[in-house]
């Protein structure tokens, strides 16, 4: 069954760009006679706030959308993501990385141009790792591209269908480097939670902004490693404002709450965004 989702993070108010994305996914589900799922991606407790979650539900209802209930809130299901992480770790596909963001930035600055996206760390020796753990040093779990490449016999089979292009795309998971899967302050990272949930919620079509196109390459790798199905992807262009710049959370005046307060009706906004 056609199933798609809108998966906002409650780190701020929704703006026109979110409305466009949600309406796009919702319309696709309705046209296909399928499911529309709302997922609250709130695993980053350092940035997510319950008041933004409440605002998301209010904004989407105001916009005229309906969705399946109960809504899946990622922070209620951390054990699902930890199980996935443990599975990868048991197979030697992850390693503890003690390097700080600052140290990694320095590494990249010293490396030849282009290394930015393809940073690979190095697992420490067992003795050094034990010593640093004993000192209580913070670390992140990273996915090892080298180990993943070995486990899968290369990345050649990693393909996904991109409806925006109307063809299959060869995924290049090296784009993301050795991505972080979990860290102390954020127990599980976005890429891992999203592939687990897309599978658990039987999402057949991921419809989202083109800003997440690179993420799809990383997520395709995680699907292969976790033996999860790969949805069809449709990355839509990002909406831009009258000044040609794309809408962002920082543009407060563009939030749906502000538009609503200024007297805009949902019908008018839907029409403006091309959803009559
Ligand atoms: N939670 C992500 C965001 O707010 C979107 C995740 C996704 O659509 O895969 O940008």
């Amino acid at each position: 069954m056609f199933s798609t989702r809108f998966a906002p993070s409650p780190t701020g108010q929704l703006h026109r760009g979110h409305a466009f994305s949600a309406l796009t996914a919702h319309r696709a589900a309705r046209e296909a006679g399928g499911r529309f799922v709302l997922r609250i991606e709130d695993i980053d407790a350092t940035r997510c706030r319950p008041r933004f979650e409440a605002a998301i539900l209010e904004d989407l209802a105001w916009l005229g959308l309906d969705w399946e209930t109960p809504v899946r809130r990622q922070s209620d299901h951390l054990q699902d993501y930890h199980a996935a992480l443990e599975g990868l770790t048991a197979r030697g596909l992850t390693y503890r990385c003690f390097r700080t963001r600052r140290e990694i930035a320095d590494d990249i600055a010293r490396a030849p141009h282009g290394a930015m996206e393809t940073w690979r760390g190095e697992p420490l020796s067992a003795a050094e790792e034990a010593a640093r753990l004993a000192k209580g040093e913070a670390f992140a779990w990273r996915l090892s591209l080298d180990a993943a490449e070995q486990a899968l016999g290369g990345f050649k089979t990693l393909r996904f269908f991109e409806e925006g292009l109307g063809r299959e795309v060869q995924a290049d998971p090296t784009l993301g480097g050795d991505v972080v899967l979990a860290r102390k302050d954020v127990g599980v990272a976005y890429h891992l939670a999203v592939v687990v949930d897309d599978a658990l919620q039987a999402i057949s079509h991921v419809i989202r902004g083109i800003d997440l196109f690179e993420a799809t390459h990383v997520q395709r790798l995680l699907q292969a490693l976790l033996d999860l199905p790969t949805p069809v992807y449709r990355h839509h262009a990002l909406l831009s404002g009258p000044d040609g710049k794309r809408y962002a959370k920082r543009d407060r005046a563009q939030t749906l709450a502000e538009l609503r307060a200024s007297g805009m009706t949902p019908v008018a906004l839907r029409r403006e965004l091309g959803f009559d």
Side-chain angles (χ1 to χ4, degrees):
M1 184 177 199
F2 185 105
S3 304
T4 190
R5 84 303 195 275
F6 179 57
S9 298
T11 55
Q13 298 277 352
L14 297 188
H15 53 69
R16 275 189 171 86
H18 293 109
F20 178 76
S21 208
L23 286 164
T24 302
H26 189 264
R27 181 169 67 186
R30 289 296 163 264
E31 283 176 358
R35 300 164 57 227
F36 176 73
V37 168
L38 173 65
R39 181 196 305 150
I40 301 295
E41 300 207 326
D42 63 343
I43 39 180
D44 185 349
T46 65
R47 296 171 59 226
C48 295
R49 300 286 174 266
R51 70 188 151 96
F52 291 133
E53 179 183 326
I56 287 170
L57 300 180
E58 202 181 322
D59 286 345
L60 296 179
W62 173 78
L63 210 50
L65 302 191
D66 53 355
W67 51 85
E68 274 188 11
T69 50
V71 171
R72 185 173 171 91
R73 183 190 295 122
Q74 290 189 323
S75 61
D76 292 337
H77 299 278
L78 296 179
Q79 69 284 2
D80 291 341
Y81 318 124
H82 288 146
L85 178 64
E86 275 166 25
L88 294 173
T89 299
R91 288 157 58 204
L93 296 168
T94 67
Y95 61 95
R96 288 189 181 90
C97 174
F98 291 85
R99 294 179 81 65
T100 61
R101 283 175 219 235
R102 180 60 178 272
E103 286 170 338
I104 291 172
D106 289 349
D107 279 359
I108 290 169
R110 275 195 301 270
H113 181 71
M116 170 103 167
E117 292 82 20
T118 56
W119 187 85
R120 297 192 193 198
E122 254 174 66
L124 299 175
S125 69
E128 191 175 342
E129 184 172 288
R132 297 182 77 156
L133 283 175
K135 276 195 270 174
E137 284 184 37
F139 64 87
W141 284 108
R142 283 184 186 274
L143 178 67
S144 165
L145 280 173
D146 289 340
E149 203 163 357
Q150 261 188 19
L152 299 174
F155 295 142
K156 283 274 179 298
T157 58
L158 300 182
R159 301 174 147 263
F160 60 91
F161 192 82
E162 171 55 57
E163 282 191 340
L165 299 170
R167 62 170 170 83
E168 275 208 322
V169 172
Q170 171 73 52
D172 179 5
T174 66
L175 287 174
D178 280 356
V179 289
V180 169
L181 297 180
R183 67 170 110 240
K184 195 168 157 214
D185 53 349
V186 183
V188 61
Y190 157 68
H191 291 301
L192 187 57
V194 97
V195 296
V196 167
D197 282 354
D198 284 339
L200 264 171
Q201 298 188 294
I203 298 302
S204 66
H205 287 68
V206 170
I207 300 173
R208 60 186 179 191
I210 191 76
D211 53 332
L212 287 168
F213 188 68
E214 260 186 29
T216 301
H217 292 250
V218 177
Q219 290 167 19
R220 180 65 189 86
L221 170 61
L222 287 171
Q223 287 155 2
L225 294 172
L226 293 165
D227 205 14
L228 300 173
T230 298
V232 166
Y233 288 87
R234 189 188 307 171
H235 293 91
H236 60 73
L238 300 181
L239 198 67
S240 32
D243 58 358
K245 281 200 279 190
R246 73 180 175 94
Y247 290 111
K249 278 182 185 164
R250 59 184 173 275
D251 305 328
R252 274 197 71 240
Q254 300 300 341
T255 67
L256 301 189
E258 297 238 350
L259 293 175
R260 185 159 73 235
S262 75
M264 186 163 211
T265 65
V267 172
L269 180 59
R270 289 172 75 110
R271 190 167 300 141
E272 182 200 300
L273 298 175
F275 296 84
D276 265 330

